[in-house]
């Protein structure tokens, strides 16, 4: 009974994390359309979340000496890189499309493992890559000469590449008792990301007057500060924390399945709240992308040893590492650098 309760609680937390992450783009896009620069919105999100997580960072201050490369990688790629590219993409293409393109990250990791590291991958993983790429072609309506803004698609691909870069840098982590606490990694990643984005976004040029007025969301007027509070507290802090806890109660593989719902949730919310409608081929392509990402994420390479194989556990937490099982980079958990 206890195991069943743990699993149910883990599933609820993983679903909550997916909903929270999925709502970030829907809340951010009205702020961007109201006049805020995408980089300024990212800075507000990351700096606000970093401020909330300062007590957690202080508790895990030993990580600065133990895992400096991991913290720098998480902050640079998982926080600053992913979110800056994703929010910039939102200013040019629909929310659902941007997130679906970003979900190519698991497939891109497998391509890196196969062609750069020259490690064999399973047949199922290869099928997942083909499905993801084929689904993406439908999402962007490639037969119509790239129906969306090409720069927007490239920015979304940049977000996916930042995810890949982080997972490949995760070999700074470790298994067992030496593995850093994921909450500490998230806290310091947000702090590093805030510092990087402060230099890039130049928040002193931000039009703070926009935050004091209303913005339009699906024809209704909503206070801008309320959307910002959602982005900081729900779509960032709560999303990451519930993701960490869900992995500990479930496993990276099971929680990863639930995480795939994030793209669906984001697309539905954008459809209902922002009136961003997708065509039937795009919806079908999005479903194929999710199926391909799920297969690529769940497949295990034939040779799971190597420096990267042990590193994903650094952020995945105790889900698989505590059980003594090797964690492969394609087993991407929902404790991920998502937007």
């Amino acid at each position: 009974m206890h195991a069943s309760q743990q699993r149910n609680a883990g599933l609820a937390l993983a679903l909550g994390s997916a909903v929270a992450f999925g709502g970030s783009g829907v809340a951010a896009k009205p702020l961007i359309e109201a006049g805020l620069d995408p980089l300024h919105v990212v800075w507000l999100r990351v700096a606000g979340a970093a401020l909330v997580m300062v007590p957690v960072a202080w508790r895990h201050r030993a990580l600065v000496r133990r895992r400096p490369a991991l913290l720098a990688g998480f902050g640079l790629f998982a926080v600053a890189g992913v979110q800056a590219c994703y929010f910039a993409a939102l200013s040019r293409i629909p929310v659902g499309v941007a997130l679906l393109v970003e979900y190519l990250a698991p497939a891109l990791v497998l391509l890196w493992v196969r062609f750069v590291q020259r490690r064999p991958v399973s047949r199922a993983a290869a099928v997942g890559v083909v499905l993801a790429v084929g689904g993406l072609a439908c999402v962007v309506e490639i037969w119509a000469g790239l129906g969306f803004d090409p720069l927007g698609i490239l920015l979304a691909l940049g977000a996916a590449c930042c995810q890949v870069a982080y997972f490949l840098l995760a070999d700074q982590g470790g298994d067992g008792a030496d593995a850093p606490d994921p909450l500490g990694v998230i806290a310091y990643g947000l702090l590093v990301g805030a510092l990087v984005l402060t230099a890039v976004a130049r928040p002193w040029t931000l039009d703070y007057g926009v935050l004091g007025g209303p913005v339009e969301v699906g024809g209704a007027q909503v206070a801008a500060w309320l959307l910002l509070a959602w982005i900081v507290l729900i779509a960032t802090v709560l999303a990451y924390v519930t993701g960490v806890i869900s992995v500990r109660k479930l496993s990276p593989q099971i929680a990863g399945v639930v995480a795939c719902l994030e793209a669906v949730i984001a697309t539905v919310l954008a459809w209902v709240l922002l009136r961003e409608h997708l065509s039937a081929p795009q919806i079908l392509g999005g479903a194929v992308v999710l199926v391909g990402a799920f297969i690529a994420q769940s497949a295990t390479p034939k040779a799971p040893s190597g420096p990267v194989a042990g590193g994903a556990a650094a952020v995945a937490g105790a889900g698989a590492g505590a059980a003594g099982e090797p964690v492969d980079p394609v087993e991407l958990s929902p404790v991920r650098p998502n937007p």
Side-chain angles (χ1 to χ4, degrees):
M1 178 66 71
H2 180 68
S4 176
Q5 290 176 343
Q6 285 280 94
R7 184 174 181 276
N8 290 338
L11 288 172
L13 288 167
L15 180 59
S17 180
V19 172
F21 273 125
S24 65
V26 176
K29 188 153 189 174
L31 294 176
I32 295 172
E33 292 178 341
L36 288 181
D37 187 274
L39 273 179
H40 287 161
V41 178
V42 175
W43 179 82
L44 288 168
R45 177 186 189 181
V46 174
L51 188 62
V52 174
M53 296 293 283
V54 163
V56 178
W58 176 255
R59 180 182 177 185
H60 297 284
R61 56 191 179 277
L63 281 177
V64 176
R65 298 191 310 273
R66 290 176 50 213
R67 294 290 188 269
L70 176 62
L71 301 184
F74 194 93
L76 201 57
F77 295 104
V79 176
V82 169
Q83 296 188 37
C85 288
Y86 175 67
F87 278 22
L90 290 185
S91 67
R92 311 183 74 94
I93 60 177
V95 173
V97 174
L99 197 53
L100 288 169
V101 173
E102 190 182 338
Y103 258 77
L104 285 177
L108 294 177
V109 170
L110 280 172
L111 291 175
W112 179 277
V113 170
R114 177 65 184 89
F115 294 106
V116 178
Q117 293 186 331
R118 297 187 180 280
R119 289 169 48 191
V121 298
S122 68
R123 185 173 301 175
V127 170
V129 171
V130 172
L131 285 174
V133 174
L136 178 62
C138 293
V139 170
V140 302
E141 294 186 330
I142 196 170
W143 55 85
L146 198 63
F148 291 111
D149 187 318
L151 180 57
I153 299 297
L154 287 176
L155 287 167
L157 282 172
C161 290
C162 283
Q163 286 203 37
V164 173
Y166 171 70
F167 287 123
L168 296 176
L169 286 172
D171 58 354
Q172 289 294 317
D175 294 332
D178 192 45
D181 191 300
L183 285 176
V185 175
I186 290 169
Y188 276 102
L190 289 169
L191 287 171
V192 172
L195 290 175
V196 172
L197 289 169
T198 297
V200 175
R202 299 186 301 167
W204 50 88
T205 65
L206 193 156
D207 184 4
Y208 289 94
V210 175
L211 299 177
V215 296
E216 184 176 338
V217 180
Q221 297 294 310
V222 179
W225 67 265
L226 191 59
L227 292 181
L228 180 60
W230 171 276
I231 293 170
V232 171
L233 299 177
I234 306 299
T236 306
V237 176
L238 182 65
Y240 274 119
V241 172
T242 52
V244 169
I245 299 173
S246 70
V247 173
R248 293 185 172 187
K249 291 182 178 294
L250 299 169
S251 69
Q253 295 91 336
I254 295 175
V257 174
V258 182
C260 286
L261 292 175
E262 178 189 335
V264 178
I265 292 167
T267 303
V268 171
L269 288 176
W271 195 318
V272 173
L273 298 178
L274 304 182
R275 300 174 182 174
E276 292 185 349
H277 301 290
L278 301 181
S279 65
Q282 289 169 334
I283 295 173
L284 177 61
V288 174
V289 169
L290 292 179
V291 171
F294 165 66
I295 294 174
Q297 178 171 276
S298 304
T300 302
K302 298 176 182 177
S305 61
V308 177
V315 179
E325 299 172 0
V327 181
D328 195 88
V330 297
E331 296 176 351
L332 309 183
S333 77
V335 190
R336 65 227 181 276
N338 273 14

